[in-house]
């Protein structure tokens, strides 16, 4: 049993050779495949690098400016309705000027005192509210009109449109209220009699 015949030894050697040859063949195939994959990766990377700046240029702006403009429009519209610090200061200034005129005036015409003391202050508040409303309207319309002058085919985000339309609506309402307050149709001064 310890001795092997020549046929058995040749068969083992042939089996080992076949196995070794297969191993070498598979290793060579893997090397060639890896070399081809590396070359293909290099080619794709080189092509991608050439096309990358064009893709970035074609993408265009991200809409951050439009979003900020929409928020500013809505905020200005809200300020036009609720009042602003500058409107309050202008109103107080006009009220003070009216009081100074009343103290220096020799006649005591109540209607004139009311107009100078409170009417001018009311008009100053309405004027500043109208100014903020007009700014809200202009900024909101500008944001809504921006895609027409931007990159074609790039849609504007839905939230930007919604907030901009909100700013436009607040601006229209604020402007209407400012005109009504300034003309005296809304909350007119009490009569002197």
């Amino acid at each position: 049993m310890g001795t092997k015949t020549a046929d058995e030894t040749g068969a083992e050697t042939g089996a080992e050779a076949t196995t070794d040859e297969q191993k070498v063949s598979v290793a060579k195939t893997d090397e060639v495949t890896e070399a081809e994959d590396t070359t293909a990766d290099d080619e794709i990377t080189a092509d991608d690098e050439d096309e990358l700046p064009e893709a970035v240029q074609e993408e265009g702006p991200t809409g951050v400016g439009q979003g900020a403009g929409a928020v500013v429009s809505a905020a200005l519209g809200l300020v036009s309705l609720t009042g602003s610090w500058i409107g309050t200061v202008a109103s107080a200034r006009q009220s003070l000027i009216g009081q100074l005129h009343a103290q220096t005036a020799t006649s005591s015409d109540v209607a004139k005192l009311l107009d100078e003391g409170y009417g001018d202050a009311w008009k100053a508040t309405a004027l500043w509210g109208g100014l903020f409303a007009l700014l809200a309207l202009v900024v909101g319309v500008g944001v809504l009109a921006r895609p027409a002058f931007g990159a074609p085919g790039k849609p504007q985000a839905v939230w930007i449109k919604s907030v901009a339309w909100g700013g436009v609506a607040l601006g229209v309402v604020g402007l209407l209220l400012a005109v009504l307050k300034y003309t005296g149709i809304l909350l007119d001064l009490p009569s002197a009699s």
Side-chain angles (χ1 to χ4, degrees):
M1 291 212 179
T3 61
K4 295 183 181 177
T5 62
D7 292 335
E8 291 175 354
T9 307
E12 285 180 12
T13 308
E16 288 175 11
T18 303
T19 307
D20 288 340
E21 287 175 6
Q22 288 175 348
K23 288 180 184 177
V24 170
S25 175
V26 169
K28 287 183 181 179
T29 305
D30 288 344
E31 288 175 8
V32 170
T33 305
E34 287 176 9
E36 289 174 358
D37 289 345
T38 305
T39 307
D41 288 344
D42 290 342
E43 290 174 6
I44 292 172
T45 305
D47 291 340
D48 288 344
E49 288 175 3
D50 292 340
E51 294 176 8
L52 184 63
E54 292 174 15
V56 171
Q57 290 174 357
E58 288 176 7
E59 184 177 313
T62 59
V64 173
Q66 293 177 27
V71 171
V72 166
S73 172
L76 287 171
L78 190 61
V79 166
S80 74
L81 294 177
T82 60
S84 65
W85 175 81
I86 195 164
T88 305
V89 170
S91 174
R93 182 177 183 275
Q94 285 303 118
S95 180
L96 180 63
I97 290 171
Q99 289 173 2
L100 289 174
H101 281 263
Q103 288 177 355
T104 59
T106 55
S107 66
S108 60
D109 185 14
V110 177
K112 185 175 181 183
L113 292 175
L114 278 173
D115 187 43
E116 288 180 354
Y118 301 103
D120 291 345
W122 184 249
K123 287 181 180 179
T125 303
L127 186 67
W128 281 102
L131 182 64
F132 278 102
L134 187 63
L135 283 173
L137 195 60
V138 167
V139 172
V141 168
V143 168
L144 291 171
R146 174 64 176 98
F149 302 105
K154 178 123 172 109
Q156 191 175 42
V158 174
W159 74 269
I160 294 175
K161 288 180 184 179
S162 299
V163 174
W165 275 114
V168 168
L170 288 171
V172 167
V173 171
L175 197 58
L176 180 65
L177 288 176
V179 168
L180 291 176
K181 286 192 304 188
Y182 192 84
T183 58
I185 295 172
L186 181 68
L187 299 173
D188 195 16
L189 287 174
S191 64
S193 53

